[in-house]
Amino acid sequence: MSILVVGSVALDTVETPFGQAKEALGGAAVYFSYAASFFNPVRLVGVIGDDFPDEHLELLKGRDIDLSGLERAKGATFRWKGRYDYDLNEAHTLDTQLNVFETFAPKIPESFRDSEFVFLANIQPRLQLQVAQQVSAPRIIACDTMNFWIEGAYDQLRETLKKVDILVINDAEARELAREPSMVKAARQILKWGPSTLVVKRGEYGVLMFTDHSVFSAPAYPLEDVYDPTGAGDTFAGGFMGYLSTVEDINDASIRQAIVFGSTLASFNVEDFSLGRMKTLEMQDILDRFAEFKLLSHFEEVEA
Ligand code: AMP
């Protein structure tokens, strides 16, 4: 099964109360690809500048991530600088330098057009739509976005959503998109606009999933130490889509499993800066923590 991701490839500088990372490998497409590559090969479409270190490319290639859609443009790579205070759920953006990302127009290589699982990471909604239109027979198109586009490109985003099966966003974004403070009402509204599934990321409080007939709630893994939440959302999406790409039947049950795999991968990612923890991760670690998730929210029925 083929997984395609389109999104940012970045050099991130991040400060948290526990330390900092300077110009470390990051970007939505990178976190997504690395996580998804535990399940199936990934095809990445993005752009880097001429200053992007080769060692990062080697790391991705070593994970069966096809970089033939990664354009190298003249100029500097996209850079993001952020800080987290003790509330690790909230990133404070200190600086965004779009550089070569500013004029990024995703070109999907011919050999990527048959991709069945497509993740449109957080980029301009018009570009997301162009990507969705370039794939020939997708089984699932999932999409992320951010407040910047909800506020600045609302109509375009609504157009893009018509092509999206699963929208994966955080809770503040869901409320802002639907212009509705109640999450349940916001979900009902968003599900009328295209996606058949809405996945709401709630940081350390876990994930809620809404369809037109069900609601599912998964906890986040209660970690003792969270060093750097950067990329948690994209790592979640990678684990989520990665697992879905392995199942025959995409239904309520497999989407729930995918949510727990996404949460599992995200819980590892936040244990270190950049992809530090992901680099040492083995499939068995993922399966062990997946099993712990089951215990975490299991309870017995009571006799009526
Ligand atoms: P997350 O923590 O999952 O929301 O994603 C963090 C990643 O998104 C970082 O590695 C950043 O490089 C990347 N990022 C930050 N701002 C933007 C932006 N405006 N567009 C695309 N990617 C971004």
Side-chain angles (χ1 to χ4, degrees), residues 72-89:
R72 199 188 264 272
K74 223 171 154 13
T77 299
F78 171 65
R79 279 168 171 76
W80 179 74
K81 195 169 180 183
R83 192 191 76 231
Y84 298 84
D85 296 327
Y86 279 93
D87 179 1
L88 291 163
N89 281 326

Side-chain angles (χ1 to χ4, degrees), residues 93 119 136 149 235 248 262:
T93 294
F119 184 63
S136 52
W149 304 123
T235 304
E248 220 157 87

Side-chain angles (χ1 to χ4, degrees), residues 61-280:
K61 282 184 201 155
R63 294 290 318 174
D64 215 348
I65 299 169
D66 186 337
L67 300 180
S68 47
L70 181 63
E71 191 188 326
R72 199 188 264 272
K74 223 171 154 13
T77 299
F78 171 65
R79 279 168 171 76
W80 179 74
K81 195 169 180 183
R83 192 191 76 231
Y84 298 84
D85 296 327
Y86 279 93
D87 179 1
L88 291 163
N89 281 326
E90 200 188 344
H92 303 280
T93 294
L94 303 177
D95 190 26
T96 302
Q97 291 172 22
L98 292 172
N99 301 328
V100 294
F101 199 46
E102 188 160 12
T103 49
F104 176 53
K107 290 179 222 50
I108 309 302
E110 200 56 50
S111 59
F112 285 9
R113 297 203 175 175
D114 62 353
S115 300
E116 287 171 278
F117 292 81
V118 180
F119 184 63
L120 309 169
N122 168 33
I123 54 171
Q124 223 287 348
R126 185 173 35 80
L127 298 180
Q128 291 178 315
L129 183 59
Q130 284 172 11
V131 172
Q133 289 165 339
Q134 287 178 62
V135 282
S136 52
R139 271 180 79 194
I140 294 286
I141 297 184
C143 165
D144 187 10
T145 190
M146 69 187 291
N147 53 359
F148 184 75
W149 304 123
I150 297 170
E151 288 154 24
Y154 182 82
D155 292 340
Q156 283 171 4
L157 180 58
R158 286 282 304 273
E159 270 313 299
T160 302
L161 288 181
K162 292 181 188 165
K163 294 280 283 180
V164 168
D165 303 295
I166 305 181
L167 179 64
V168 185
I169 52 178
N170 72 33
D171 50 358
E173 290 158 355
R175 289 178 227 269
E176 189 175 5
L177 174 61
R179 297 173 174 160
E180 168 58 63
S182 153
M183 183 56 72
V184 175
K185 288 186 188 160
R188 201 177 299 140
Q189 184 62 256
I190 291 168
L191 291 174
K192 288 185 187 148
W193 293 339
S196 55
T197 302
L198 171 69
V199 176
V200 181
K201 299 171 287 182
R202 299 159 69 236
E204 67 178 311
Y205 308 111
V207 174
L208 281 173
M209 176 192 75
F210 295 90
T211 68
D212 65 357
H213 57 275
S214 69
V215 182
F216 173 61
S217 169
Y221 188 76
L223 282 171
E224 205 154 308
D225 297 304
V226 172
Y227 281 97
D228 174 17
T230 308
D234 303 303
T235 304
F236 168 87
F240 174 80
M241 289 289 274
Y243 177 70
L244 272 191
S245 75
T246 68
V247 304
E248 220 157 87
D249 231 359
I250 296 175
N251 52 32
D252 216 59
S254 52
I255 293 179
R256 287 173 187 223
Q257 290 170 320
I259 283 178
V260 179
F261 272 113
S263 305
T264 302
L265 268 301
S267 76
F268 283 114
N269 183 60
V270 302
E271 288 180 358
D272 200 352
F273 286 87
S274 184
L275 281 88
R277 178 67 183 98
M278 299 297 281
K279 283 192 233 173
T280 60

